Amino acid sequence: IADLKKQRTLQGGLRYEAITGGYCVRAENGVKIGEILVKEDGYYDFWPEVHGGYWPSWILAAISATLDSFNSAWDKQVQSDPRIGG
């Protein structure tokens, strides 16, 4: 996460713009499709903008892969803590 620039394309042609507490997610055409925000537990989740219609699988897969990437280091830390997961 630290190496993300203010705006960068990561997965599936989606653009991720750094905002307070996370990232704004935009489609290639610039339409905001949601935000990835860190929750109280330290994990990132996707909060979609609801415009109606459908979500193709490639967008869902791209968002999922991005969340997995963002949450990987934190999850390892949580799982290694014997008081929590280890």
Side-chain angles (χ1 to χ4, degrees):
I1 299 171
D3 66 339
L4 278 176
K5 304 215 184 289
K6 180 74 174 163
Q7 177 178 312
R8 183 172 174 192
T9 300
L10 287 180
Q11 300 278 342
L14 300 177
R15 292 190 343 227
Y16 299 82
E17 301 170 4
I19 59 173
T20 302
Y23 299 88
C24 176
V25 183
R26 295 187 182 276
E28 288 180 304
N29 64 2
V31 173
K32 180 179 177 184
I33 62 170
E35 295 178 342
I36 292 177
L37 302 173
V38 67
K39 300 183 325 242
E40 298 83 6
D41 64 2
Y43 287 96
Y44 285 88
D45 279 331
F46 179 68
W47 298 78
E49 291 280 317
V50 179
H51 298 288
Y54 66 93
W55 292 75
S57 63
W58 71 266
I59 288 180
L60 298 173
I63 293 168
S64 176
T66 301
L67 288 172
D68 289 345
S69 173
F70 284 7
N71 288 322
S72 177
W74 179 244
D75 192 55
K76 286 177 187 170
Q77 184 176 340
V78 169
Q79 295 304 320
S80 69
D81 188 328
R83 299 169 296 165
I84 302 170

